[in-house]
Amino acid sequence: YTFTSLIDAYAQTNEWESVYEAERILNRLLEQYLEGEQDQLEPNVATWTIVISAWMRLSKKNRKGAAKRAGNLLRRMEDLYSNGKLSFKPDAITYVTCMNAYAFSKYKDDIEEAEKLLDEMNELYLDGDDSMKPSFRSIKILTEAWIRAGAMDRAEQFLEKYDEILYESSSDDDNEIGSNELGEVYQALLIGYCQNGDPRRARVYLDLMIEGEDMEPDNSCYERILEAYVKQG
């Protein structure tokens, strides 16, 4: 616990050098454990996730390379577990944290990696691990990531791939979201298309919001579409 607290103290500073130091301490603990010196030095899932989460926060601040550092840690953890050298495998929180690190990046290659990670989680879910079911929040974050990158086609393709989970979530009374949250996704796509000079496509999502329950578009949606048409001339 002392080592985890030390790693956490470095990780919480949100500075590159300190997060790098947190990872260095994690690696040193890991080396000592793998060399068979002390079993109690095995870093647990929480310790790995603390460092991955720190890189995620730096990625959110547009620090280039932070997402890749998070991804490298996740892959190393997977490899060590697969080879029987770790007794802990990454859990859903670890995967989502790493996925967010890639999704918060402004680089398309990183967003691509985020989508691959969510696809891996979905495969694990389909194979019977309910804890790995992609959440509405993760789907929304990735959709918005593609929109931010100006890749509207990728945003729609991604949404189409996960539409079953998305609509199941929005219609389930016991689930985490309601129709208004789905409306937020439609609004993000509407805004994205307006920003990319395609008001006609934006109107598709306006209509979906009008037709949907608890998705009433606000005035800004209409204004953005009108502005986009005016810019087209």
Side-chain angles (χ1 to χ4, degrees):
Y1 294 110
T2 305
F3 284 113
T4 298
S5 300
L6 179 62
I7 287 169
D8 190 42
Y10 276 109
Q12 292 299 330
T13 64
N14 295 330
E15 297 295 335
W16 188 282
E17 294 76 13
S18 296
V19 177
Y20 181 83
E21 181 63 19
E23 185 174 330
R24 196 178 71 81
I25 296 168
L26 172 65
N27 286 332
R28 195 166 65 206
L29 278 177
L30 191 60
E31 285 167 14
Q32 290 178 356
Y33 167 70
L34 293 174
E35 286 168 5
E37 292 181 17
Q38 296 181 62
D39 285 349
Q40 67 267 30
L41 290 179
E42 181 183 16
N44 61 23
V45 178
T47 308
W48 287 85
T49 306
I50 283 168
V51 184
I52 291 171
S53 184
W55 288 123
M56 180 268 290
R57 291 192 296 273
L58 286 177
S59 178
K60 200 170 185 179
K61 292 165 71 175
N62 290 324
R63 296 297 301 272
K64 188 175 183 180
K68 186 170 175 56
R69 303 287 307 213
N72 288 344
L73 279 172
L74 177 68
R75 295 310 184 197
R76 189 176 185 203
M77 192 181 183
E78 285 177 330
D79 289 344
L80 288 168
Y81 178 77
S82 297
N83 292 321
K85 294 180 179 179
L86 271 187
S87 54
F88 305 99
K89 64 179 178 179
D91 61 14
I93 294 172
T94 314
Y95 274 101
V96 169
T97 303
C98 188
M99 187 213 77
N100 287 344
Y102 281 119
F104 289 144
S105 169
K106 62 182 179 181
Y107 303 101
K108 286 185 180 179
D109 287 351
D110 285 343
I111 302 170
E112 190 81 56
E113 288 300 320
E115 186 168 334
K116 284 180 187 174
L117 273 178
L118 197 67
D119 289 346
E120 285 178 34
M121 289 185 71
N122 195 40
E123 285 298 317
L124 291 168
Y125 164 64
L126 294 173
D127 285 343
D129 187 346
D130 287 345
S131 72
M132 290 291 177
K133 182 179 181 180
S135 68
F136 170 82
R137 177 173 164 73
S138 293
I139 294 168
K140 183 184 177 192
I141 284 172
L142 251 170
T143 304
E144 291 174 344
W146 283 122
I147 293 169
R148 278 197 313 275
M152 298 305 299
D153 55 337
R154 289 299 303 269
E156 285 200 320
Q157 287 166 17
F158 170 73
L159 207 56
E160 188 178 334
K161 182 164 58 174
Y162 284 96
D163 64 348
E164 189 175 330
I165 290 176
L166 199 64
Y167 296 119
E168 176 188 297
S169 296
S170 65
S171 61
D172 187 347
D173 291 337
D174 297 326
N175 216 295
E176 60 186 299
I177 69 159
S179 297
N180 57 328
E181 283 87 355
L182 184 56
E184 289 175 13
V185 176
Y186 290 157
Q187 184 168 341
L189 285 157
L190 181 154
I191 292 168
Y193 273 113
C194 288
Q195 289 172 340
N196 284 274
D198 192 350
R200 213 165 74 172
R201 189 65 189 154
R203 284 188 62 182
V204 171
Y205 291 98
L206 180 69
D207 291 341
L208 284 170
M209 292 170 74
I210 292 168
E211 293 163 9
E213 189 178 340
D214 297 325
M215 293 188 201
E216 186 63 33
D218 57 29
N219 288 339
S220 69
C221 294
Y222 295 95
E223 289 166 2
R224 284 177 182 273
I225 291 175
L226 285 171
E227 286 171 10
Y229 274 120
V230 169
K231 284 181 183 176
Q232 276 191 339

